[in-house]
Amino acid sequence: MNPQAKLLSITSLFLGSTITITSNHWIMAWTGLEINTLAILPLISKSHHPRAIEAATKYFLVQAAASALLLFSSMTNAWYTGQWDITQLTHPTSCLLLTTAISIKLGLVPFHFWFPEVLQGTSLTTGLLLATALKFPPITLLLLTSPSLNPTLLTILAIASTALGGWAGLNQTQTRKILAFSSISHLGWMAIILVYNPKLTLITFYLYCLMTIPIFLTLDTIKTLKLTTMSTAWTKIPPLTATLMLMLLSLAGLPPLTGFLPKWLIIQELTKQEM
């Protein structure tokens, strides 16, 4: 890929994310999300492989539909309340539409079908951006609107995501698809606690990024795309492969490791809320 084009795409990604995270107006938030979508498309399709082109097309269509729904939700809210402020989302229909739009953008169940396919069709480094950096702006919008969201709907989406993310990942042999389902499962944990304790959602997201980034980078270093090659990878760089095993266990949430902390805190908070 042309270095100038790569630089332009990455700069646009930073710009789009910054606009969405710092905006107070729905139109600005939507603009940031659109810039993000357009900036990641060249990175997804840079290998010119049919699978990569297919992944880019799927990603574009899904994100465009979600953005249109988000704009419709904010317009409905503005129509009834006269407010374009992100924190002033009070109309019930708008809240429902917004939850659906962000769920599609993030890939929560039942809108998750696109995510494993897109991740499978792209490189590990672009997959890393899709699983971490591009999830941050939609999660920020959820955090800003959390007081007015419907807890029942979020709980249903969250339980479905956590269950399906765990189950569907068992049936995969491709590391990228396993990490995609892991992402869906973690998003479920983030969504369930969103209404009760938004800061906990943010902590969970940060820790998820902290565990996912080294996993993707390690898999990229040892050039591992399948579980079969992963089982023989320890002969290449034994210390790195041992660390990878620990990182994967942490991502799974095994008690003494970091990944267990957010889940423990979330369960504790849900118990306080008598959930």
Side-chain angles (χ1 to χ4, degrees):
M1 191 182 186
N2 187 338
Q4 284 90 348
K6 204 171 195 175
L7 182 67
L8 185 67
S9 290
I10 290 165
T11 313
S12 303
L13 271 178
F14 276 113
L15 180 70
S17 299
T18 311
I19 289 173
T20 304
I21 290 160
T22 55
S23 60
N24 213 6
H25 194 284
W26 275 115
I27 297 293
M28 286 306 288
W30 171 79
T31 309
L33 291 171
E34 285 299 301
I35 292 170
N36 263 358
T37 302
L38 294 173
I40 195 77
L41 289 174
L43 294 174
I44 296 173
S45 57
K46 70 171 186 262
S47 65
H48 301 298
H49 191 273
R51 280 300 294 269
I53 306 299
E54 183 193 340
T57 311
K58 279 179 182 173
Y59 185 77
F60 174 71
L61 291 172
V62 168
Q63 296 296 318
S67 291
L69 202 56
L70 183 118
L71 204 56
F72 182 58
S73 137
S74 52
M75 281 167 66
T76 310
N77 190 60
W79 180 272
Y80 283 104
T81 63
Q83 286 284 349
W84 278 101
D85 197 315
I86 289 179
T87 52
Q88 302 295 320
L89 191 82
T90 49
H91 195 262
T93 312
S94 299
C95 294
L96 194 71
L97 286 170
L98 178 88
T99 310
T100 309
I102 302 282
S103 299
I104 296 170
K105 273 205 167 294
L106 289 171
L108 279 168
V109 175
F111 314 108
H112 67 288
F113 298 104
W114 64 273
F115 190 55
E117 294 298 321
V118 169
L119 219 62
Q120 181 59 32
T122 186
S123 67
L124 279 163
T125 38
T126 313
L128 171 60
L129 283 173
L130 285 169
T132 55
L134 285 169
K135 294 277 166 84
F136 192 44
I139 284 175
T140 310
L141 289 179
L142 276 183
L143 288 169
L144 289 168
T145 54
S146 59
S148 40
L149 297 176
N150 184 340
T152 316
L153 177 65
L154 272 174
T155 306
I156 292 166
L157 290 175
I159 292 169
S161 299
T162 311
L164 192 127
W167 273 107
L170 293 173
N171 199 25
Q172 303 300 327
T173 55
Q174 299 282 345
T175 48
R176 282 169 295 182
K177 276 199 174 177
I178 292 169
L179 287 166
F181 284 114
S182 157
S183 178
I184 292 166
S185 182
H186 277 82
L187 281 168
W189 283 93
M190 290 174 219
I192 201 162
I193 202 67
L194 185 74
V195 177
Y196 307 108
N197 193 341
K199 283 181 184 172
L200 209 47
T201 300
L202 211 51
I203 291 169
T204 309
F205 180 70
Y206 287 151
L207 287 173
Y208 166 72
C209 290
L210 195 71
M211 293 178 291
T212 305
I213 292 166
I215 289 173
F216 269 98
L217 294 177
T218 308
L219 290 174
D220 193 40
T221 308
I222 57 177
K223 299 282 176 282
T224 304
L225 295 176
K226 290 182 181 165
L227 284 181
T228 45
T229 45
M230 199 172 172
S231 58
T232 55
W234 67 273
T235 51
K236 294 179 190 172
I237 319 170
L240 193 62
T241 318
T243 318
L244 175 66
M245 186 194 72
L246 279 173
M247 289 186 294
L248 287 169
L249 289 173
S250 180
L251 194 66
L254 203 71
L257 301 162
T258 318
F260 177 64
L261 179 69
K263 294 179 180 180
W264 182 23
L265 292 172
I266 288 170
I267 290 167
Q268 201 176 10
E269 185 62 37
L270 289 174
T271 314
K272 282 182 196 167
Q273 299 291 341
E274 296 180 357
M275 286 282 282

